[in-house]
Each structure stands twice: as structure tokens, then as C-alpha cells.
């Protein structure tokens, strides 16, 4: 499995960013892709996920109503649209995946990881 993120950057509080994850190498259509972030000195936090089997999405409470995850099957990409960004959203964001039909935002479930992309929100 290969996961390649893009789209991070620097944005002011209240701004928006779009992260993209190009996914390939899955041997089954029953897998979940999620976004996990990690800020310096903090534990990994599952942010959002989408089941490619059922198209179900889930979000951490900290991002509900601000972030939207979606998938483009034809391009085999997963997008994370981040609106109303806050300084506490600053972190390295990783695209991650695991096989299964039910996606959860628990970062411990993910076994395949991208290299990460930095998101910085200035106050």
C-alpha cells in the first residue's frame, strides 16, 4: 500500500486548506482511509476517516463541522477539506489506511502510513 499526501501549508486562523491523499496498492476493496495528525509533544490524534467499502465517514469531535472528508474513486484519492482552521489544528497530517469495512478514527488501527504533510495555522 502506498499513500502520498499533498496540500499542506501555512494559513491564518479562520482560513482553509485542502489535503489530498493518493492511495494505491490495495488488494481488496474493503479498506478504510483516514487522516491522523500529530503535533510536537502530543500524541497522534485520529481526525477523520472514510470507508471505501461503505463510504461511511467519521470525524473527531475536535473537527466536526469544520473538516470534510471525501473520496474520488476514479482518481483513487481521498480529500480532507479543512475550514475555519485554528492554531490548535497545527500538526503534521498523515494519510493512513487499514483493511476492514468499518472506519474508525482510532489512530492505533492504521497500519499503512504516508510521509505526512505539515499544516500550520497562525494566530
Amino acid at each position: 500500500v502506498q499513500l502520498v499526501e499533498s496540500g499542506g501549508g501555512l494559513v491564518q486562523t479562520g482560513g482553509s486548506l485542502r489535503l489530498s491523499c493518493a492511495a494505491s496498492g490495495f488488494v481488496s476493496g474493503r479498506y478504510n482511509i483516514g487522516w491522523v495528525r500529530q503535533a510536537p509533544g502530543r500524541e497522534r490524534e485520529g481526525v477523520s476517516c472514510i470507508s471505501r467499502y461503505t463510504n461511511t465517514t467519521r470525524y473527531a469531535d475536535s473537527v466536526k463541522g469544520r473538516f470534510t472528508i471525501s473520496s474520488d474513486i476514479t482518481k483513487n484519492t481521498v480529500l480532507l477539506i479543512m475550514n475555519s482552521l485554528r492554531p490548535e489544528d497545527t500538526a503534521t497530517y498523515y494519510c493512513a489506511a487499514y483493511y476492514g469495512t468499518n472506519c474508525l478514527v482510532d489512530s492505533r488501527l492504521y497500519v499503512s502510513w504516508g510521509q505526512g504533510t505539515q499544516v500550520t495555522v497562525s494566530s
Side-chain angles (χ1 to χ4, degrees), residues 46-121:
V47 173
S48 180
C49 67
I50 184 166
S51 165
R52 293 303 298 268
Y53 185 66
T54 65
N55 220 35
T56 300
T57 60
R58 286 189 170 83
Y59 299 90
D61 288 342
S62 57
V63 305
K64 278 182 182 177
R66 301 189 297 123
F67 291 11
T68 302
I69 192 169
S70 63
S71 65
D72 183 336
I73 295 177
T74 59
K75 296 181 180 179
N76 217 20
T77 59
V78 172
L79 301 178
L80 185 69
I81 309 299
M82 305 185 296
N83 296 320
S84 302
L85 283 162
R86 306 165 179 169
E88 54 264 39
D89 294 318
T90 295
T92 300
Y93 283 70
Y94 298 90
C95 179
Y98 68 95
Y99 285 104
T101 58
N102 184 31
C103 89
L104 297 171
V105 292
D106 186 343
S107 62
R108 296 169 296 180
L109 296 173
Y110 294 86
V111 296
S112 299
W113 296 81
Q115 81 286 354
T117 185
Q118 179 66 35
V119 171
T120 303
V121 184

Side-chain angles (χ1 to χ4, degrees), residues 12-35:
Q12 291 184 332
T13 296
S16 299
L17 282 174
R18 186 181 81 164
L19 304 184
S20 179
C21 174
S24 62
F26 293 98
V27 297
S28 164
R30 302 184 180 194
Y31 62 91
N32 307 292
I33 293 182
W35 289 93

